[in-house]
Amino acid sequence: MSDVHTTPEPDDAEFNDFVQLLKPRVMSLVVFTALVGLLVAPKGLTFIEGFASVLFIALGAGASGALNMWWDADIDAIMKRTLGRPVPSGRVTSGEALGFGVALSGLSVMMLGLAANWIAASILAFTIFFYAVVYSMWLKRLTPQNIVIGGAAGAFPPMIGWVAATGSISLESSLMFALIFMWTPPHFWALALFMKEDYAAAGVPMLTVTHGRKSTRTHILVYTIMLIPIAVGIGFTAIGGIAYVAISTVMSALFLRGAFQIWTRNEEQALADHYKIEKQVFRFSLYYLFVLFSAFLLEVVLKPYGFGGW
Amino acid sequence: MAFDKPHEIYKRRFSRNVGVGLALVFFVALVFGLTVVKMIRGQDMRAYDHVLRPNLIAPQAPDAPDAPKVQP
């Protein structure tokens, strides 16, 4: 009788490698915005339904991240920041990433449909399709506006949270979508200015490469200006209130100041202080979104005491 | 015959197996919880199945314009 041997694979995938395929940092933003979308909705779900809804929205977003890593393994292997990801590092095979992404996509959509409703599940399915196919496979390597259009995928979670609770899309959820959609370009382009990834070698037409850094600085300012009416305007809908309007006005003014500073600088100035302003604006943009969505929650918390809302 | 020592694959894949196991237990618990909640809320899970069931029709006032006429 012969013994069974397996080939030793010291780089076998650990559980954490599959967690990394889900892009946990992106998932944390998805969890937060979806939770806010769900909590500010006029109708509520039971705790376990709400918990399951947010979990499966996050898993769906993670699944699209896994599909993105499967498709972009060739790009990830070129750029320093992404070289250590599970697929280019060889810890997870390309087929495993694809299978994991497809299976989780199906599971998350079906489970969201069962936990909440099928409209929310349909939007989640569309989001996964949009990120994996429209953004990753099609636009990312085709146009320097890839970030703008791809931002839509990240903008859907609060809308899905809202629809999970109410069963319908409304003005408020559409404006929450628009808020993240308009926030993504200045946020990401600020990062692109100081990260200096080798996008050209990877064949990704980033704005900093195709149109230059001066043009990117202008784009950041223009998109920030377009973001502000949406960010403040939501405050006058049913989910807003005086507190939100005040907070969003102050935060938007600070964001605009940062974008203006980026616009007035040139590369020599940025190199001299190691992209201090660009890094500050990038960090601030993260706080900006977090604070604005927290302000929606604040309105909900204040409402029972007669302060929140209009 | 003495047992051989466990194959190294068990050691190598320990964290992965524990992770998958815990994820499956959590998933089962979540589906069970969801089922309990939906059953407690008493949702009517039956849908229209091409057979008219009177209990699926919302009650209407007898003098409503769309109320079905009852034959004597």
Side-chain angles (χ1 to χ4, degrees):
Chain A
M1 196 175 111
S2 62
D3 288 335
V4 175
H5 291 284
T6 59
T7 311
E9 294 173 43
D11 289 337
D12 231 16
E14 303 247 333
F15 187 72
N16 187 46
D17 291 319
F18 285 94
V19 174
Q20 292 306 316
L21 274 182
L22 303 177
K23 298 193 176 180
R25 277 188 187 178
V26 178
M27 270 173 87
S28 62
L29 182 70
V30 169
V31 166
F32 179 62
T33 56
L35 183 68
V36 172
L38 196 141
L39 291 177
V40 301
K43 290 180 193 170
L45 292 171
T46 58
F47 172 77
I48 197 154
E49 285 171 321
F51 174 78
S53 298
V54 172
L55 177 73
F56 291 119
I57 294 168
L59 266 188
S64 64
L67 292 172
N68 169 272
M69 284 201 202
W70 159 70
W71 183 258
D72 279 347
D74 57 334
I75 298 176
D76 290 348
I78 294 170
M79 294 194 294
K80 234 184 262 177
R81 180 174 61 92
T82 52
L83 192 60
R85 282 180 174 175
V87 181
S89 66
R91 297 193 304 278
V92 173
T93 66
S94 185
E96 282 175 328
L98 172 64
F100 187 59
V102 170
L104 266 191
S105 299
L107 180 82
S108 57
V109 169
M110 298 305 286
M111 288 307 299
L112 182 62
L114 291 170
N117 59 66
W118 293 102
I119 301 174
S122 308
I123 303 173
L124 180 65
F126 179 73
T127 306
I128 296 169
F129 168 78
F130 194 89
Y131 188 69
V133 177
V134 177
Y135 171 69
S136 300
M137 296 183 188
W138 182 25
L139 296 172
K140 186 173 178 178
R141 303 179 195 214
L142 190 72
T143 165
Q145 296 296 314
N146 47 20
I147 294 305
V148 180
I149 302 154
F156 274 115
M159 178 185 270
I160 303 173
W162 177 283
V163 174
T166 64
S168 64
I169 301 168
S170 67
L171 173 71
E172 290 84 358
S173 71
S174 305
L175 285 173
M176 282 192 283
F177 169 90
L179 172 61
I180 302 181
F181 182 72
M182 294 306 296
W183 164 87
T184 307
H187 164 76
F188 199 88
W189 283 329
L191 175 75
L193 278 176
F194 66 84
M195 278 300 280
K196 295 201 168 178
E197 304 258 30
D198 202 356
Y199 288 114
V204 179
M206 280 303 292
L207 195 66
T208 44
V209 177
T210 58
H211 289 63
R213 293 171 167 272
K214 183 65 200 162
S215 173
T216 305
R217 291 171 187 279
T218 308
H219 272 74
I220 290 173
L221 179 63
V222 171
Y223 272 85
T224 308
I225 291 169
M226 291 196 293
L227 164 70
I228 291 171
I230 297 165
V232 179
I234 308 178
F236 298 98
T237 66
I239 58 172
I242 293 169
Y244 174 85
V245 170
I247 290 168
S248 64
T249 303
V250 172
M251 291 298 286
S252 296
L254 292 172
F255 199 177
L256 183 62
R257 190 186 68 165
F260 187 77
Q261 284 175 327
I262 285 181
W263 181 64
T264 53
R265 277 154 68 87
N266 56 35
E267 278 308 298
E268 287 73 39
Q269 290 169 307
L271 277 170
D273 63 7
H274 304 288
Y275 293 91
K276 189 180 165 197
I277 300 293
E278 288 78 2
K279 287 176 182 172
Q280 274 177 359
V281 173
F282 172 72
R283 269 196 302 273
F284 179 80
S285 67
L286 280 169
Y287 296 133
Y288 178 82
L289 200 67
F290 178 75
V291 169
L292 259 60
F293 272 79
S294 299
F296 288 132
L297 284 183
L298 182 68
E299 293 289 347
V300 175
V301 172
L302 289 176
K303 220 166 225 173
Y305 304 101
F307 295 111
W310 293 106
Chain B
M1 192 183 90
F3 287 111
D4 289 338
K5 69 173 188 178
H7 196 279
E8 56 85 26
I9 198 168
Y10 294 108
K11 193 177 169 189
R12 181 154 44 93
R13 293 200 168 165
F14 182 75
S15 78
R16 190 163 145 180
N17 292 340
V18 169
V20 172
L22 289 176
L24 286 174
V25 168
F26 176 74
F27 181 69
V28 169
L30 186 66
V31 172
F32 180 71
L34 271 175
T35 309
V36 170
V37 165
K38 290 199 181 278
M39 294 299 285
I40 287 174
R41 260 209 329 227
Q43 281 187 336
D44 191 349
M45 292 181 187
R46 292 172 300 173
Y48 177 67
D49 57 3
H50 301 89
V51 177
L52 181 64
R53 290 201 304 273
N55 62 341
L56 288 178
I57 302 170
Q60 284 179 310
D63 55 346
D66 292 338
K69 300 281 180 285
V70 179
Q71 296 295 325

